[in-house]
Amino acid sequence: MGDTLEFNDIHTELKGSWNDGRLRFSKQSVVYKSHKTGKVDSIPAPELSAAQWRRVCLGHGIKLATSTGLVYRYDGFRDTDFEKISAFFKTNYKVELAEKDMCVKGWNWGTAKFTGSLLSFDVSDSPVFEIPLSSVSQCATGKNEVTVEFHQNDDAEVSLMEVRFYVPPNTGDDGSDPVEAFAQNVLSKADVIQATGDAVCVFKELQCLTPRGRYDIRIYPTFLHLHGKTFDYKIPYTTVLRLFLLPHKDQRQMFFVISLDPPIKQGQTRYHFLILLFSKDEELSLALNMSEDEVEKRYEGKLSKNMSGPLFEIVSRVMKALVNRKITVPGNFQGHSRSQCITCAYKASSGLLYPLERGFIYVHKPPVHLRFEEISCVNFARGTTTTRSFDFEIETKQSNQYTFSNIEREEYGKLFDFVNAKKLNIKNRGFKEGMKGADGYSDSDEDQHDAYLERMKEEGKIREEGDGSDESEGDSGTDTPQTKYIGLFQSDNVMLCVCRYDSNASESDSEADDGDSEEESKTKKPEKKPKKVVKEMKERKPRKEKKVKDPGAPKRPMSAYMLWLNANRERIKSENPGISVTEISKKAGEMWKQLSKDLIACAFREKKKKGGKVEAKKKSGGEKETKEGGNESFKSKEFISSEESSSESDHDRGSKRKVCD
């Protein structure tokens, strides 16, 4: 068996959400590193007091207890891992890995046991469930009842809000109330922020970039209190992941960045970073609200009772001692301007990108911290607007992409060498190394296809060919003005197409071809100046004026329906007593519709009857004409049809009068 045991994809529960990571057992310690946050939990081997192996929802898990009262739980082991882990614990830690079964009876009464920072609810000496007291935010008591509330995690899909325990009303041996005793046991280990006692020190009116404003910072032994004009924040030191001290590019200011998990909340906004801005010239003299012996005993020489110096140094020194975290500073990277950062833009805001020894951090809006171990690859891309800058793209293993744009091309060589030295995967290594010139970046556009430039060149060639064909086909003696394409020039963002307008193209071409012979000739004709073509602006047509109605103009005549309605309105009211105005209109419409149908049917019958009489008359008239042989005067077809139509119209008028009456 080796000196270490390593397991990947091991999970730990944090306020309702699962975080995966890597667990390593060594002779000196037990180390767990989270893949999501990079936070490291280290348990020294001499502090291990007990270990349990049990069946959990994600396979098998280990519960480790320390002599300091802390409890750690790790899940995701296989059944076959028990033997080698048990043997490793016996050999190196002198601790037996005991198997413990969970109670699955489903009972809701049992015994509450407080073991260190863990509340265990047991039935018949078997645990039913366990509550980490560090997840408790508040504890309230009632009559024979204790309510335990929990911190909420934004990453958890389902959150447990509270649990209520019923405590039987039995007095203890010393006469104490069991409800109060239960609540005090919970609060003694719960993560409840209470400002008890005086602050260790206070910093007045510090400029904070995220969240924005000026805050008074009170330093307490277990938490940090930010007091502003609008908002107050209490930040436990256990939520601080990292500390950064970063110099500004102007060398006159300093950023102090505090990374938080879980973040502080302001409404629906989450702040994962607390960013303070200091001036290097600002000095401070500070006296801690503690005695010298107490300072020496608690902080072991990291702090002294009286301190003086630059403000950013004192704040970072106090935070390092109380949080017990190392302060990360920029490494040996130096940009083109000898600064330790790169000016760039992320999303819509401009900021500074700091290459660190183990990652990148961008400040300040929004802050971004990327560790090398979570980076999949990087990419150097040409800027979209100009060739004087480039983009730096970072893709993480979770398929998230961060693009830092508008980086000066002089920074390319330094950044490329830094990424290459850190052995990060460069997505377009061959292409970019070919671009890399003496100044670290190529200024030519030959390696990238410019569609607009190619199109302009093609249009220039077409113009030249068209000019040549016009000269060959046209008459040489005519003086027709022509436009001649000279060339295409490009500079940075400007592209210029130069053309010459020549009124006598044949003469200018012959002069250019003759060369020296024209210089020697004495009868040289002066060249005509190019004519200026001015396009006359078309006159706008005046707008048509709107017609104004004459108030004295006659009105339109009423329609047939309205005339009929006015004449028959009273008759409709008498036939339908109590009818409303709207119903009168509806009834009149029905009657008018039926009246129209009756008129049409009547007219059709009369026309059909009249048509039969006319045909009979035609037949009798024809016979009479044939018999008498022309004694009657001849009537043309047009005369007969006009006479019939007039008689029909008179008849129809009479029938309509009958129907209307």
mmCIF file of all heavy atoms in Angstrom, residues 397-422:
data_model
loop_
_atom_site.group_PDB
_atom_site.id
_atom_site.type_symbol
_atom_site.label_atom_id
_atom_site.label_comp_id
_atom_site.label_asym_id
_atom_site.label_seq_id
_atom_site.Cartn_x
_atom_site.Cartn_y
_atom_site.Cartn_z
ATOM 1 N N LYS A 397 -13.715 24.431 -18.416
ATOM 2 C CA LYS A 397 -14.119 23.037 -18.574
ATOM 3 C C LYS A 397 -15.626 22.862 -18.464
ATOM 4 O O LYS A 397 -16.155 21.830 -18.873
ATOM 5 C CB LYS A 397 -13.412 22.178 -17.513
ATOM 6 C CG LYS A 397 -11.902 22.129 -17.698
ATOM 7 C CD LYS A 397 -11.227 21.311 -16.618
ATOM 8 C CE LYS A 397 -9.712 21.308 -16.817
ATOM 9 N NZ LYS A 397 -9.014 20.555 -15.748
ATOM 10 N N GLN A 398 -16.315 23.858 -17.911
ATOM 11 C CA GLN A 398 -17.786 23.818 -17.857
ATOM 12 C C GLN A 398 -18.408 24.449 -19.102
ATOM 13 O O GLN A 398 -19.604 24.772 -19.109
ATOM 14 C CB GLN A 398 -18.283 24.564 -16.617
ATOM 15 C CG GLN A 398 -18.031 23.848 -15.307
ATOM 16 C CD GLN A 398 -16.597 24.017 -14.832
ATOM 17 O OE1 GLN A 398 -15.936 24.972 -15.232
ATOM 18 N NE2 GLN A 398 -16.137 23.118 -13.986
ATOM 19 N N SER A 399 -17.593 24.681 -20.157
ATOM 20 C CA SER A 399 -18.026 25.226 -21.451
ATOM 21 C C SER A 399 -18.493 26.673 -21.340
ATOM 22 O O SER A 399 -19.290 27.136 -22.155
ATOM 23 C CB SER A 399 -19.158 24.364 -22.062
ATOM 24 O OG SER A 399 -18.702 23.048 -22.282
ATOM 25 N N ASN A 400 -17.977 27.408 -20.361
ATOM 26 C CA ASN A 400 -18.236 28.846 -20.267
ATOM 27 C C ASN A 400 -17.098 29.597 -20.947
ATOM 28 O O ASN A 400 -15.931 29.234 -20.792
ATOM 29 C CB ASN A 400 -18.348 29.289 -18.801
ATOM 30 C CG ASN A 400 -19.520 28.642 -18.105
ATOM 31 O OD1 ASN A 400 -20.559 28.418 -18.718
ATOM 32 N ND2 ASN A 400 -19.362 28.333 -16.830
ATOM 33 N N GLN A 401 -17.425 30.642 -21.687
ATOM 34 C CA GLN A 401 -16.426 31.402 -22.441
ATOM 35 C C GLN A 401 -16.397 32.850 -21.955
ATOM 36 O O GLN A 401 -17.438 33.483 -21.794
ATOM 37 C CB GLN A 401 -16.723 31.366 -23.941
ATOM 38 C CG GLN A 401 -15.607 31.981 -24.787
ATOM 39 C CD GLN A 401 -15.790 31.695 -26.267
ATOM 40 O OE1 GLN A 401 -16.637 30.904 -26.647
ATOM 41 N NE2 GLN A 401 -14.998 32.321 -27.103
ATOM 42 N N TYR A 402 -15.188 33.347 -21.725
ATOM 43 C CA TYR A 402 -14.957 34.724 -21.297
ATOM 44 C C TYR A 402 -14.060 35.386 -22.337
ATOM 45 O O TYR A 402 -12.973 34.881 -22.637
ATOM 46 C CB TYR A 402 -14.292 34.767 -19.922
ATOM 47 C CG TYR A 402 -15.091 34.097 -18.825
ATOM 48 C CD1 TYR A 402 -14.976 32.726 -18.581
ATOM 49 C CD2 TYR A 402 -15.966 34.824 -18.029
ATOM 50 C CE1 TYR A 402 -15.704 32.112 -17.588
ATOM 51 C CE2 TYR A 402 -16.706 34.213 -17.028
ATOM 52 C CZ TYR A 402 -16.569 32.859 -16.810
ATOM 53 O OH TYR A 402 -17.300 32.254 -15.820
ATOM 54 N N THR A 403 -14.513 36.508 -22.881
ATOM 55 C CA THR A 403 -13.786 37.219 -23.927
ATOM 56 C C THR A 403 -13.366 38.582 -23.397
ATOM 57 O O THR A 403 -14.216 39.406 -23.033
ATOM 58 C CB THR A 403 -14.657 37.389 -25.185
ATOM 59 O OG1 THR A 403 -15.075 36.101 -25.649
ATOM 60 C CG2 THR A 403 -13.876 38.084 -26.281
ATOM 61 N N PHE A 404 -12.045 38.810 -23.363
ATOM 62 C CA PHE A 404 -11.481 40.092 -22.957
ATOM 63 C C PHE A 404 -10.969 40.777 -24.227
ATOM 64 O O PHE A 404 -10.020 40.310 -24.863
ATOM 65 C CB PHE A 404 -10.352 39.892 -21.949
ATOM 66 C CG PHE A 404 -10.774 39.126 -20.727
ATOM 67 C CD1 PHE A 404 -10.548 37.759 -20.628
ATOM 68 C CD2 PHE A 404 -11.433 39.760 -19.693
ATOM 69 C CE1 PHE A 404 -10.947 37.046 -19.507
ATOM 70 C CE2 PHE A 404 -11.842 39.056 -18.571
ATOM 71 C CZ PHE A 404 -11.602 37.696 -18.478
ATOM 72 N N SER A 405 -11.624 41.862 -24.605
ATOM 73 C CA SER A 405 -11.397 42.488 -25.907
ATOM 74 C C SER A 405 -10.617 43.790 -25.761
ATOM 75 O O SER A 405 -10.367 44.276 -24.648
ATOM 76 C CB SER A 405 -12.742 42.748 -26.597
ATOM 77 O OG SER A 405 -13.567 43.564 -25.793
ATOM 78 N N ASN A 406 -10.245 44.341 -26.942
ATOM 79 C CA ASN A 406 -9.562 45.640 -27.044
ATOM 80 C C ASN A 406 -8.252 45.670 -26.273
ATOM 81 O O ASN A 406 -7.937 46.639 -25.579
ATOM 82 C CB ASN A 406 -10.480 46.778 -26.565
ATOM 83 C CG ASN A 406 -11.705 46.943 -27.430
ATOM 84 O OD1 ASN A 406 -11.704 46.566 -28.602
ATOM 85 N ND2 ASN A 406 -12.758 47.493 -26.869
ATOM 86 N N ILE A 407 -7.482 44.596 -26.382
ATOM 87 C CA ILE A 407 -6.150 44.557 -25.773
ATOM 88 C C ILE A 407 -5.150 45.091 -26.797
ATOM 89 O O ILE A 407 -5.183 44.711 -27.969
ATOM 90 C CB ILE A 407 -5.782 43.121 -25.351
ATOM 91 C CG1 ILE A 407 -6.840 42.565 -24.389
ATOM 92 C CG2 ILE A 407 -4.412 43.089 -24.688
ATOM 93 C CD1 ILE A 407 -6.611 41.126 -23.996
ATOM 94 N N GLU A 408 -4.256 45.973 -26.368
ATOM 95 C CA GLU A 408 -3.278 46.550 -27.280
ATOM 96 C C GLU A 408 -2.374 45.464 -27.851
ATOM 97 O O GLU A 408 -2.002 44.523 -27.170
ATOM 98 C CB GLU A 408 -2.436 47.597 -26.546
ATOM 99 C CG GLU A 408 -3.245 48.788 -26.057
ATOM 100 C CD GLU A 408 -2.376 49.783 -25.314
ATOM 101 O OE1 GLU A 408 -1.161 49.500 -25.163
ATOM 102 O OE2 GLU A 408 -2.894 50.830 -24.898
ATOM 103 N N ARG A 409 -2.027 45.629 -29.136
ATOM 104 C CA ARG A 409 -1.254 44.591 -29.820
ATOM 105 C C ARG A 409 0.148 44.458 -29.233
ATOM 106 O O ARG A 409 0.782 43.415 -29.362
ATOM 107 C CB ARG A 409 -1.168 44.899 -31.306
ATOM 108 C CG ARG A 409 -0.392 46.167 -31.635
ATOM 109 C CD ARG A 409 -0.308 46.387 -33.116
ATOM 110 N NE ARG A 409 0.483 47.568 -33.434
ATOM 111 C CZ ARG A 409 0.715 48.000 -34.652
ATOM 112 N NH1 ARG A 409 0.196 47.337 -35.671
ATOM 113 N NH2 ARG A 409 1.440 49.068 -34.873
ATOM 114 N N GLU A 410 0.662 45.522 -28.553
ATOM 115 C CA GLU A 410 1.992 45.427 -27.954
ATOM 116 C C GLU A 410 2.022 44.442 -26.788
ATOM 117 O O GLU A 410 3.094 43.963 -26.413
ATOM 118 C CB GLU A 410 2.446 46.815 -27.463
ATOM 119 C CG GLU A 410 2.799 47.796 -28.562
ATOM 120 C CD GLU A 410 1.564 48.454 -29.176
ATOM 121 O OE1 GLU A 410 0.463 48.211 -28.640
ATOM 122 O OE2 GLU A 410 1.707 49.197 -30.170
ATOM 123 N N GLU A 411 0.834 44.136 -26.207
ATOM 124 C CA GLU A 411 0.781 43.202 -25.082
ATOM 125 C C GLU A 411 0.744 41.746 -25.533
ATOM 126 O O GLU A 411 0.819 40.850 -24.693
ATOM 127 C CB GLU A 411 -0.476 43.491 -24.231
ATOM 128 C CG GLU A 411 -0.591 44.913 -23.721
ATOM 129 C CD GLU A 411 0.380 45.191 -22.584
ATOM 130 O OE1 GLU A 411 1.087 44.256 -22.159
ATOM 131 O OE2 GLU A 411 0.420 46.344 -22.120
ATOM 132 N N TYR A 412 0.656 41.529 -26.854
ATOM 133 C CA TYR A 412 0.467 40.159 -27.347
ATOM 134 C C TYR A 412 1.647 39.258 -26.993
ATOM 135 O O TYR A 412 1.469 38.141 -26.495
ATOM 136 C CB TYR A 412 0.256 40.176 -28.859
ATOM 137 C CG TYR A 412 0.193 38.790 -29.465
ATOM 138 C CD1 TYR A 412 -0.965 38.034 -29.399
ATOM 139 C CD2 TYR A 412 1.314 38.225 -30.073
ATOM 140 C CE1 TYR A 412 -1.023 36.768 -29.939
ATOM 141 C CE2 TYR A 412 1.265 36.956 -30.612
ATOM 142 C CZ TYR A 412 0.098 36.234 -30.545
ATOM 143 O OH TYR A 412 0.052 34.979 -31.059
ATOM 144 N N GLY A 413 2.860 39.730 -27.244
ATOM 145 C CA GLY A 413 4.035 38.889 -27.018
ATOM 146 C C GLY A 413 4.202 38.507 -25.561
ATOM 147 O O GLY A 413 4.467 37.339 -25.229
ATOM 148 N N LYS A 414 4.004 39.480 -24.653
ATOM 149 C CA LYS A 414 4.145 39.195 -23.224
ATOM 150 C C LYS A 414 3.087 38.203 -22.754
ATOM 151 O O LYS A 414 3.381 37.258 -21.997
ATOM 152 C CB LYS A 414 4.018 40.497 -22.433
ATOM 153 C CG LYS A 414 5.055 41.562 -22.794
ATOM 154 C CD LYS A 414 6.410 41.212 -22.239
ATOM 155 C CE LYS A 414 7.401 42.356 -22.487
ATOM 156 N NZ LYS A 414 8.746 42.043 -21.968
ATOM 157 N N LEU A 415 1.840 38.408 -23.186
ATOM 158 C CA LEU A 415 0.756 37.525 -22.757
ATOM 159 C C LEU A 415 0.906 36.131 -23.349
ATOM 160 O O LEU A 415 0.662 35.124 -22.667
ATOM 161 C CB LEU A 415 -0.590 38.138 -23.151
ATOM 162 C CG LEU A 415 -1.847 37.406 -22.678
ATOM 163 C CD1 LEU A 415 -1.865 37.294 -21.166
ATOM 164 C CD2 LEU A 415 -3.102 38.115 -23.169
ATOM 165 N N PHE A 416 1.353 36.060 -24.599
ATOM 166 C CA PHE A 416 1.544 34.748 -25.226
ATOM 167 C C PHE A 416 2.642 33.968 -24.507
ATOM 168 O O PHE A 416 2.499 32.760 -24.248
ATOM 169 C CB PHE A 416 1.898 34.931 -26.704
ATOM 170 C CG PHE A 416 2.045 33.634 -27.456
ATOM 171 C CD1 PHE A 416 0.946 33.026 -28.027
ATOM 172 C CD2 PHE A 416 3.279 33.015 -27.586
ATOM 173 C CE1 PHE A 416 1.071 31.831 -28.717
ATOM 174 C CE2 PHE A 416 3.421 31.825 -28.271
ATOM 175 C CZ PHE A 416 2.307 31.228 -28.843
ATOM 176 N N ASP A 417 3.730 34.620 -24.171
ATOM 177 C CA ASP A 417 4.819 33.942 -23.454
ATOM 178 C C ASP A 417 4.370 33.489 -22.068
ATOM 179 O O ASP A 417 4.752 32.411 -21.598
ATOM 180 C CB ASP A 417 6.027 34.872 -23.341
ATOM 181 C CG ASP A 417 6.639 35.177 -24.701
ATOM 182 O OD1 ASP A 417 6.415 34.379 -25.644
ATOM 183 O OD2 ASP A 417 7.326 36.214 -24.831
ATOM 184 N N PHE A 418 3.545 34.308 -21.398
ATOM 185 C CA PHE A 418 3.060 33.932 -20.069
ATOM 186 C C PHE A 418 2.164 32.697 -20.139
ATOM 187 O O PHE A 418 2.313 31.756 -19.348
ATOM 188 C CB PHE A 418 2.300 35.112 -19.456
ATOM 189 C CG PHE A 418 1.655 34.808 -18.137
ATOM 190 C CD1 PHE A 418 2.391 34.860 -16.971
ATOM 191 C CD2 PHE A 418 0.305 34.470 -18.052
ATOM 192 C CE1 PHE A 418 1.804 34.576 -15.740
ATOM 193 C CE2 PHE A 418 -0.285 34.184 -16.845
ATOM 194 C CZ PHE A 418 0.466 34.235 -15.679
ATOM 195 N N VAL A 419 1.234 32.692 -21.088
ATOM 196 C CA VAL A 419 0.324 31.545 -21.233
ATOM 197 C C VAL A 419 1.099 30.294 -21.617
ATOM 198 O O VAL A 419 0.828 29.190 -21.134
ATOM 199 C CB VAL A 419 -0.772 31.881 -22.271
ATOM 200 C CG1 VAL A 419 -1.603 30.653 -22.597
ATOM 201 C CG2 VAL A 419 -1.668 32.995 -21.770
ATOM 202 N N ASN A 420 2.083 30.462 -22.484
ATOM 203 C CA ASN A 420 2.887 29.326 -22.913
ATOM 204 C C ASN A 420 3.708 28.770 -21.762
ATOM 205 O O ASN A 420 3.887 27.549 -21.631
ATOM 206 C CB ASN A 420 3.798 29.764 -24.065
ATOM 207 C CG ASN A 420 4.272 28.591 -24.899
ATOM 208 O OD1 ASN A 420 3.682 27.517 -24.840
ATOM 209 N ND2 ASN A 420 5.318 28.789 -25.666
ATOM 210 N N ALA A 421 4.226 29.656 -20.891
ATOM 211 C CA ALA A 421 5.030 29.206 -19.752
ATOM 212 C C ALA A 421 4.176 28.467 -18.722
ATOM 213 O O ALA A 421 4.677 27.553 -18.051
ATOM 214 C CB ALA A 421 5.717 30.402 -19.104
ATOM 215 N N LYS A 422 2.905 28.847 -18.599
ATOM 216 C CA LYS A 422 2.005 28.171 -17.659
ATOM 217 C C LYS A 422 1.427 26.885 -18.236
ATOM 218 O O LYS A 422 0.619 26.223 -17.574
ATOM 219 C CB LYS A 422 0.866 29.110 -17.258
ATOM 220 C CG LYS A 422 1.322 30.349 -16.501
ATOM 221 C CD LYS A 422 2.038 29.988 -15.213
ATOM 222 C CE LYS A 422 2.508 31.215 -14.479
ATOM 223 N NZ LYS A 422 3.244 30.880 -13.230
#
